[in-house]
Amino acid sequence: MATDAPPPSQEHHRLPSTEEFAEVQQSAEFGELRRSFRSFAFPLTIAFVAWYLLYVLLSNYAGGFMGSKLFGNINVAFVFGIAQFLTTFLIAWWYSRHAAAKLDPKAEAIKSRMEGGA
């Protein structure tokens, strides 16, 4: 069976010690990486959960509104439900771009420094 994955690396990386992990965790560089992640992920998570709860609450307590026909057999609830899926995929796409641009380079620099002992 052929795969597109490259063969495993034959390089042997040094495993950092517990003290080195603790030192990196306290570093300003790691703090910046953590801040970059949290400043993106936490607000977006809160916004999405609020959006989801709005959908659930409206479905339970505003049946008349959610049942309002927009066109044909398409009602407000259906549009909100589809919008839930769309926002999920949009957030995943947005996060992957954010991670590739801002998080991955910082994480890779920390990882290579720890494995190389620099």
Side-chain angles (χ1 to χ4, degrees), residues 37-81:
F37 170 74
R38 288 179 177 171
S39 68
F40 184 89
F42 286 178
L44 216 49
T45 300
I46 291 167
F48 183 78
V49 169
W51 161 233
Y52 174 73
L53 290 175
L54 173 69
Y55 173 64
V56 171
L57 291 172
L58 286 174
S59 294
N60 281 318
Y61 300 110
F65 169 70
M66 294 296 272
S68 302
K69 299 235 184 209
L70 297 176
F71 49 91
N73 287 329
I74 306 298
N75 62 16
V76 173
F78 181 76
V79 172
F80 270 43

Side-chain angles (χ1 to χ4, degrees), residues 24 27 29-31 33 104-116:
V24 167
S27 72
E29 186 180 26
F30 187 78
L33 174 62
D104 292 349
K106 292 175 187 176
E108 187 58 39
I110 293 170
K111 178 184 171 220
S112 64
R113 193 167 39 262
M114 288 188 75
E115 288 177 344

